Amino acid sequence: MFGFLKRKKQEEDSNQVKEVVTKDEQLVETQQKVSATIVEELVQDSPNLDTEQIVIHNSKKEDEAVKRYTFSVKGTFVKERQKEIVKLVKELKKAEYFYEAYDGLKPKEIKEDYFEEPIYEYGGCSLPKAMIEEENNNPYDEYAIKVFISNLNGDFIHIGYVPKELCEEIREMKGQYDHYVVASLEGGKYKMATYDEYGEEKVKVFNDKEYGIELCVSFWEELPQILKNK
């Protein structure tokens, strides 16, 4: 009798777990459909939009961001902005702000595991504070949003813009929710294993790519204390 009751209790617990898992799966599926719909609408409005460069994440949990936008900042190629980014990278490098260059990979590892793939010196590394600011007097886009990165002195440097396709929506979100901005470095100097003129494998250093900036803007019902303190 005891064995029967024990098995029955285990079956009930198992069914409860299955029910929770099913609900979680349904929530994830719904979120994925919503994100896909948003991206599809963006593409319909702007056929030339590169969707691989934009990621939109939705969440309804109280302890998570309501929405996140991840994208490459536009206009970083402009000469003066590129010069400021290069200057900032040099400053951070001198202050040992970054972790190991080239992910700490040795030439042998680059040859064996990343042949003909660029390994950036500081690609993907986080940068100091970032912020976004509306530019209402922009003659080309009434919804333009400027992107700024802070140097180690706390001075904010204008390095580009939010993609035009996202500006209006981000402005609306910014008016309704708290927001937080994180920036990371893209491009710049890199190492790559390739063949030399004699057909031998060599790891060479290249410096033919401009720096770019990836931005993640998250919106919250209320900004978590840990982010308020940053």
Side-chain angles (χ1 to χ4, degrees), residues 121-158:
E121 184 180 25
Y122 298 117
C125 290
S126 61
L127 296 170
K129 289 183 178 180
M131 63 175 280
I132 56 176
E133 180 182 276
E134 292 91 343
E135 188 180 48
N136 297 322
N137 60 350
N138 187 297
Y140 304 105
D141 181 12
E142 61 180 319
Y143 299 110
I145 302 175
K146 300 167 76 173
V147 177
F148 295 83
I149 302 292
S150 169
N151 61 22
L152 294 180
N153 294 324
D155 302 319
F156 281 91
I157 307 156
H158 176 216

Side-chain angles (χ1 to χ4, degrees), residues 186-219:
E186 294 181 328
K189 187 188 294 185
Y190 62 98
K191 289 182 178 180
M192 188 165 68
T194 185
Y195 294 109
D196 63 13
E197 61 270 29
Y198 304 107
E200 296 182 1
E201 294 181 358
K202 295 287 184 181
V203 175
K204 298 181 180 180
V205 178
F206 298 86
N207 198 17
D208 58 353
K209 290 192 177 182
E210 297 173 331
Y211 285 112
I213 304 293
E214 181 178 87
L215 217 66
C216 178
V217 184
S218 57
F219 291 93

